[in-house]
């Protein structure tokens, strides 16, 4: 009887350990710098022009992951810093799945096609830089969860804009927002290692 109880106890203990191992394996690691939306949402229809003079619209989101970032070429710090970091992370990001980085300029008055081409080529010619009139930019920004506002008068105006990024699925659906964070004594930033880890996890989850 004692032997039966002992064997039963060992089996139950082993089964419990196996269940814990399976649960731990299935439980995803917490996202480091991103927030996945409870429900994916299709972006509202939009039509922009990219740095090559080609139409950039919802159709060009199909079949690949898109990482959107809002800004303008005259931005003094945030935009060049972010695009530089994305250029460094791009080889690992593009290895995860078909992937594109999309820089949306909210300064159509100054950001001509030629200026966008020169600007984005400095960081990575494979990136997309696109803009349109504010009648297109405002609804697209809202659909992505971004905001922007022109500040100042004359030709030297600045533009306040969101510092986050948004991940859009190959179905053209907004699935996650990537937000900057700050350590004590440091400026807000999105760390590349956190970005790559989060997007890898999200892409794998949507692929399964």
């Amino acid at each position: 009887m004692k032997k039966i109880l002992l064997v039963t106890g060992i089996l139950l203990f082993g089964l419990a350990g196996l269940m814990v191992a399976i649960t731990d394996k299935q439980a995803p690691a917490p996202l480091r710098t991103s927030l996945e939306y409870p429900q994916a949402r299709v972006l509202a229809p939009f039509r922009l022009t990219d740095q090559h003079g080609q139409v950039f619209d919802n159709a060009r989101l199909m079949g690949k992951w898109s990482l959107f970032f809002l800004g303008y070429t005259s931005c003094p710090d945030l935009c060049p810093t972010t695009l530089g970091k994305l250029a460094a992370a791009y080889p690992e990001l593009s290895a995860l799945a078909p992937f594109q980085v999309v820089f949306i300029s909210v300064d159509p008055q100054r950001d001509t096609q030629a200026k966008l081409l020169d600007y984005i080529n400095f960081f990575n010619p494979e990136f997309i830089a696109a803009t349109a009139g504010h009648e297109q930019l405002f609804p697209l920004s809202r659909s992505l969860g971004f905001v922007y506002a022109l500040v100042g008068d004359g030709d030297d105006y600045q533009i306040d804009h969101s510092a986050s990024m948004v991940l859009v699925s190959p179905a053209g659906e907004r699935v996650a927002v990537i937000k900057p964070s700050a350590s004590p004594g440091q400026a807000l930033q999105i760390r590349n290692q956190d970005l790559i880890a989060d997007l890898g996890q999200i892409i794998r989850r949507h692929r399964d």
Side-chain angles (χ1 to χ4, degrees):
M1 184 66 178
K2 289 182 178 180
K3 288 183 179 181
I4 294 174
L5 290 175
L6 179 61
V7 172
T8 302
I10 292 172
L11 289 174
L12 289 174
F13 182 79
L15 181 60
L18 179 62
M19 293 301 295
V20 169
I22 292 173
T23 302
D24 289 344
K25 186 177 180 180
Q26 291 178 342
L31 297 174
R32 302 177 185 178
T33 190
S34 308
L35 175 65
E36 213 168 346
Y37 293 112
Q39 184 175 0
R41 294 185 179 180
V42 176
L43 293 186
F46 67 89
R47 183 182 175 89
L48 311 179
T49 302
D50 70 12
Q51 73 267 32
H52 302 294
Q54 299 176 344
V55 172
F56 183 76
D57 57 10
N58 303 72
R60 288 187 54 187
L61 305 179
M62 299 297 105
K64 62 183 67 177
W65 290 88
S66 304
L67 186 63
F68 278 82
F69 173 65
L70 211 66
Y72 62 115
T73 66
S74 302
C75 180
D77 42 32
L78 179 61
C79 295
T81 299
T82 300
L83 286 169
K85 290 168 73 71
L86 287 174
Y90 183 69
E92 292 186 68
L93 293 174
S94 58
L96 296 171
F99 197 92
Q100 61 186 359
V101 172
V102 184
F103 173 73
I104 302 297
S105 169
V106 289
D107 190 7
Q109 180 177 336
R110 295 181 295 195
D111 285 348
T112 62
Q113 178 189 331
K115 194 169 184 179
L116 285 176
L117 179 62
D118 288 342
Y119 185 75
I120 209 66
N121 278 352
F122 177 80
F123 298 101
N124 190 321
E126 295 185 28
F127 289 1
I128 293 168
T131 193
H134 293 294
E135 72 280 359
Q136 285 286 334
L137 293 172
F138 276 130
L140 174 59
S141 298
R142 285 196 300 269
S143 186
L144 288 165
F146 292 143
V147 294
Y148 73 93
L150 277 63
V151 179
D153 300 318
D155 295 334
D156 294 328
Y157 61 87
Q158 300 290 312
I159 301 178
D160 288 342
H161 60 86
S162 301
S164 56
M165 307 176 198
V166 168
L167 182 66
V168 174
S169 76
E173 297 176 329
R174 185 184 69 170
V175 298
V177 59
I178 300 91
K179 290 181 171 291
S181 59
S183 300
Q186 295 183 343
L188 286 170
Q189 61 176 315
I190 296 172
R191 295 171 180 81
N192 275 4
Q193 63 269 30
D194 295 340
L195 174 69
I196 294 166
D198 282 7
L199 297 197
Q201 185 180 154
I202 294 169
I203 289 171
R204 284 191 296 272
R205 184 153 54 241
H206 281 262
R207 184 186 295 152
D208 295 339

